[in-house]
Amino acid sequence: MKKIVGILAAAAVFATSVFAADISAKVELDGNLFKYDGATKTVSALNVDKPTDQHWNAVFSASVSGDNAGASFVVLSGPIVSMGGWNSGHDLGGRNWQIWMSPVDGLKFTIGKIDANLNQEQITWSGTKLNVDSNGFGVGYSVAGFSFDLMFTPGLGTDWFTKADGVDAVIGETTFKAAYGADFGTIGLLYKANDSFKTNTIALGYSNNFGPVFAFLNAGVIIADKTDIRVEAFAKGNAGDFGWAVWLPFGYNGTTEDSTLGSIVELTYALGGTTAYVRFNDENFMADNFKSEIRLGAKGSVGGAGWNIWAQIDVAEKTSFSIPFEFGYSF
């Protein structure tokens, strides 16, 4: 028994000397202190729930990396499961598995989770269509400020290429991305093909820091049955304790009725460990039915615990009001 323990201890020391391990876990609960649903004219209070499908908000994550290889995975909370009507809980499942290898400097092979985009807004971290977010295979090479990535991403459990007897071949999502970064900023090119190259996305992106302001512009065209033009602009900055951020995505596919123009604007003010904020969000100003969201709240942390409480007004045909909250503890 002592010999086995000694072997395991030696293996652990060897592993930590070769690889850098990072393990973290998080408990998070959200809900509403108060809610009025204008559509049903229902009032409710003191509800607690658990986020069920937040791929960016892992319950447990682990990664290990060395000079030439590494791996990572996260565990997410699944939907509520009823157990005989007397108990309820949440499934846990592993998602976003990834293994990478770099046999020579600058060259990297990746299998599993593939996540790449030209530029990403940083208010809600969602909304871009000019990106790759799937599972598959990737190979990349970077040198002297240049980077090149080729990605085959059909998703988990799906073949990238199939050819059955007597029918046409089916080819899954294929993406090429190139970028160059220097003092003038970063320029990126993205080409993505879907539906056996019947749908093609071509996009350019530019990002840079202008003093205290960071900004980017993405512009692309999605060529399918209807050609969709996509433009995405983002900027954020600060002046002392005041901060601001603006996200403006626009899409046009031939008719005004099918086009979209969204906006997210957020203003923040830092007060020690607390940040007060105001956020306005409208996914489509051009929709027939006006629908927007206004938040007035505060967020902060106490030790390893983080909190976020806000008053929310959902403006639509029937206006609703609520006081949601989010509490989390990371360790």
Side-chain angles (χ1 to χ4, degrees):
M1 182 66 181
K2 291 182 178 179
K3 183 177 181 180
I4 295 175
V5 172
I7 293 174
L8 293 176
V13 171
F14 174 76
T16 55
S17 65
V18 176
F19 297 99
D22 183 12
I23 298 176
S24 63
K26 183 176 184 180
V27 177
E28 181 163 337
L29 293 170
D30 62 9
N32 281 283
L33 300 179
F34 173 84
K35 183 177 182 180
Y36 169 73
D37 189 330
T40 61
K41 297 183 179 180
T42 301
V43 177
S44 59
L46 299 183
N47 165 270
V48 63
D49 202 354
K50 177 71 185 70
T52 57
D53 191 21
Q54 297 183 357
H55 62 276
W56 65 91
N57 202 353
V59 175
F60 175 84
S61 62
S63 65
V64 59
S65 61
D67 293 335
N68 302 104
S72 65
F73 76 94
V74 303
V75 176
L76 302 180
S77 175
I80 296 176
V81 178
S82 177
M83 301 176 64
W86 58 270
N87 193 9
S88 63
H90 296 268
D91 286 338
L92 295 178
R95 309 276 185 90
N96 300 353
W97 301 77
Q98 184 187 85
I99 298 173
W100 63 269
M101 294 168 285
S102 180
V104 297
D105 289 344
L107 182 64
K108 184 177 181 180
F109 295 95
T110 303
I111 182 171
K113 179 64 175 177
I114 306 293
D115 188 358
N117 47 93
L118 288 175
N119 293 291
Q120 177 65 59
E121 62 94 359
Q122 300 170 21
I123 304 175
T124 62
W125 297 89
S126 61
T128 183
K129 290 186 178 181
L130 308 176
N131 71 332
V132 179
D133 185 8
S134 187
N135 284 269
F137 303 82
V139 55
Y141 183 72
S142 59
V143 59
F146 289 94
S147 65
F148 306 92
D149 293 277
L150 181 61
M151 296 159 276
F152 307 94
T153 52
L156 285 174
T158 305
D159 297 312
W160 173 75
F161 176 89
T162 58
K163 175 66 172 71
D165 185 32
V167 298
D168 293 336
V170 177
I171 302 174
E173 184 175 88
T174 308
T175 306
F176 172 75
K177 179 178 179 288
Y180 177 69
D183 294 339
F184 60 83
T186 300
I187 297 176
L189 166 68
L190 178 76
Y191 168 73
K192 181 167 69 173
N194 295 84
D195 306 323
S196 299
F197 287 83
K198 296 176 182 177
T199 301
N200 297 274
T201 300
I202 304 173
L204 291 171
Y206 172 74
S207 65
N208 200 6
N209 290 290
F210 304 91
V213 176
F214 168 77
F216 72 72
L217 179 68
N218 295 333
V221 57
I222 303 172
I223 304 171
D225 294 335
K226 285 187 176 181
T227 299
D228 187 359
I229 298 173
R230 181 79 175 176
V231 179
E232 303 171 345
F234 175 78
K236 71 172 185 177
N238 64 278
D241 294 330
F242 288 95
W244 58 272
V246 179
W247 165 241
L248 294 170
F250 171 74
Y252 178 75
N253 61 2
T255 62
T256 304
E257 292 79 8
D258 295 329
S259 300
T260 61
L261 174 61
S263 175
I264 303 178
V265 179
E266 184 175 77
L267 305 176
T268 62
Y269 182 71
L271 297 166
T274 301
T275 299
Y277 66 92
V278 178
R279 180 188 297 175
F280 173 82
N281 184 357
D282 192 312
E283 294 183 359
N284 187 10
F285 284 108
M286 303 176 70
D288 293 334
N289 298 321
F290 182 78
K291 185 177 180 181
S292 62
E293 175 189 288
I294 301 172
R295 293 189 181 190
L296 175 62
K299 56 187 175 181
S301 61
V302 179
W307 57 272
N308 184 10
I309 302 176
W310 67 94
Q312 179 171 319
I313 302 175
D314 294 295
V315 182
E317 184 178 353
K318 300 292 184 179
T319 300
S320 300
F321 174 78
S322 58
I323 305 178
F325 66 83
E326 296 174 347
F327 287 97
Y329 189 89
S330 301
F331 52 94

